[in-house]
Amino acid sequence: MSEDVYPRLKAYEGQAAAVAAVGKDPVNEPMIRHWCEAMGDTHPAYQGPDAVAPPTMLQAWTMGGLSGHTDRSAAYDELFALLDGAGYTSVVATDCEQEYLRPLRPGDRITFDAVIESVSERKTTKLGTGHFVTTRMDVRVAGRLAGTHRFRILKYAPAARKPKETEHRRPRPVINRDNAGFWDGVAAHKLLIQRCGGCRTLRFPWLPGCNGCGSQKWDTVEAGGEGTVYSYVVMHHPRFPAFAPPYAVALIELAEGVRMVSNVVGVPYDKVRIGMPVRLEFQCVEPGLELPVFRVEGEG
Ligand code: ZN
C-alpha cells in the first residue's frame, strides 16, 4: 500500500458529492410513523395534525433506497475508485453528526447538496489501515437550511488477524461530547447523573436533551452510591472474547431513582437476586479501564 495516493485523495476535499439532489419523497406521516414505531419513540410532537418529523430522521429523507440516487457526483465515484485501486476495498461507517436548524414537517420537499469535506491521512485502526472520508450534507426546504448531516466512513484494507492478547481486551467506552462529563466523573470516582435544567428530572444514561420537557439545559447530581438490583440476566451465549461466561449483567436501580446497567461483584453469578442491596465502587477491570460496579452489601 503506497502512501503517495494520499495527495491524490486529498485533492477531492471540497469537491461536491451530490449537487441539487432531491428527496425521493416529501416528508410524510407514514415514514414518520414507521420510524417512531421502529425506535419505540412515542413523543407526542411526532403525532397529530401539527406533527414534526423526528430530527434524527434527517438522513432518511435523503436516502436513495435500493434504486439509489442519480445525483451522485463523478468526483465521489472517482474518489472511491481511487481508494479501491489502492487496496482499501473494505468500508465501514464510523460515525455521524447532525445539526438541526428548523423542524421538518409533513409536506416539506427537501433538497440537498453534499460535499466531500475531508479525507484523512492514512490511519491504522483495529479493523485495518485506510482513510476516513467525511461527507457533509446540507438539507434544505424551500432553499432554507433545515439541517446538516455529517457522515464519516473508513475505507480500509482489512488487517491481518490480530495477536491473541489484544483479542481479549474489554471493549472501550465511546466517549463523545454528549457523555464526556460522565466519564470525567468516573475518572474522579464520581457517578454523575444528569439533571434536567427545565423540569429537574434525573436521567441516565446521559443524553443531550430531556425526554420529558425537551430542555437541553442540565447539570449533574453525584449518586450517593446506594442501589438495588432491579433486574439481571446471566449471560451464557453468545461468547464475547473479553468476557468469560457465565456472568451476571444487572440493571441497578440507584437510590436517586435512575437505573444503569453494570456488573455485580462480591457474589457468584448464580447468587445475584432481584432486590439485593448493592453499593457503588470503582473497579479497575483492566489496565486503563476503570468502571463503576456494584458490590453486594455485606459480602466483603
Ligand atoms: Zn426536563
Side-chain angles (χ1 to χ4, degrees), residues 25-79:
D25 297 291
V27 176
N28 64 82
E29 289 168 43
M31 279 173 69
I32 293 171
R33 184 174 62 77
H34 288 305
W35 169 281
C36 288
E37 287 189 0
M39 297 294 169
D41 192 333
T42 57
H43 198 283
Y46 311 141
Q47 301 164 23
D50 298 320
V52 297
T56 46
M57 277 190 79
L58 186 65
Q59 190 193 13
W61 310 114
T62 71
M63 286 178 158
L66 272 182
S67 54
H69 267 299
T70 52
D71 316 89
R72 205 169 60 193
S73 75
Y76 194 74
D77 289 339
E78 285 167 24
L79 172 62

Side-chain angles (χ1 to χ4, degrees), residues 196-201 203 210-215 217:
C196 174
C199 66
R200 313 301 282 170
T201 303
R203 65 173 183 261
C210 176
N211 276 337
C213 74
S215 171
K217 293 189 168 40

Side-chain angles (χ1 to χ4, degrees), residues 34-258:
H34 288 305
W35 169 281
C36 288
E37 287 189 0
M39 297 294 169
D41 192 333
T42 57
H43 198 283
Y46 311 141
Q47 301 164 23
D50 298 320
V52 297
T56 46
M57 277 190 79
L58 186 65
Q59 190 193 13
W61 310 114
T62 71
M63 286 178 158
L66 272 182
S67 54
H69 267 299
T70 52
D71 316 89
R72 205 169 60 193
S73 75
Y76 194 74
D77 289 339
E78 285 167 24
L79 172 62
F80 275 71
L82 196 55
L83 285 159
D84 285 332
Y88 306 120
T89 51
S90 295
V91 65
V92 63
T94 58
D95 61 294
C96 115
E97 288 177 36
Q98 296 184 329
E99 292 170 72
Y100 314 115
L101 282 87
R102 53 177 293 251
L104 295 175
R105 298 177 187 281
D108 284 345
R109 292 200 162 266
I110 67 107
T111 57
F112 59 97
D113 296 290
V115 63
I116 299 162
E117 196 170 61
S118 66
V119 184
S120 79
E121 291 177 9
R122 190 168 66 168
K123 306 267 189 187
T124 296
T125 72
K126 281 182 188 169
L127 285 173
T129 293
H131 297 269
F132 289 92
V133 178
T134 306
T135 308
R136 191 191 76 238
M137 190 182 277
D138 294 326
V139 178
R140 293 187 173 80
V141 174
R144 290 175 64 201
L145 192 60
T148 298
H149 173 70
R150 218 178 235 99
F151 192 65
R152 193 169 294 116
I153 59 154
L154 173 65
K155 277 287 279 177
Y156 66 100
R161 218 172 139 62
K162 291 162 279 181
K164 261 208 155 21
E165 54 274 23
T166 62
E167 283 181 4
H168 296 287
R169 291 178 78 225
R170 290 274 201 113
R172 261 45 186 174
V174 176
I175 300 175
N176 56 40
R177 60 189 172 187
D178 292 331
N179 68 11
F182 171 75
W183 291 104
D184 288 345
V186 170
H189 286 189
K190 293 178 178 180
L191 182 60
L192 297 180
I193 304 167
Q194 269 183 316
R195 177 171 56 190
C196 174
C199 66
R200 313 301 282 170
T201 303
L202 298 181
R203 65 173 183 261
F204 194 93
W206 283 41
L207 292 168
C210 176
N211 276 337
C213 74
S215 171
Q216 293 178 22
K217 293 189 168 40
W218 53 268
D219 61 3
T220 59
V221 173
E222 184 182 351
E226 305 294 334
T228 53
V229 175
Y230 183 82
S231 185
Y232 68 97
V233 291
V234 175
M235 288 294 293
H236 296 272
H237 186 83
R239 175 183 284 271
F240 297 100
F243 300 86
Y247 54 92
V249 178
L251 184 61
I252 304 298
E253 185 162 86
L254 300 178
E256 289 78 9
V258 297

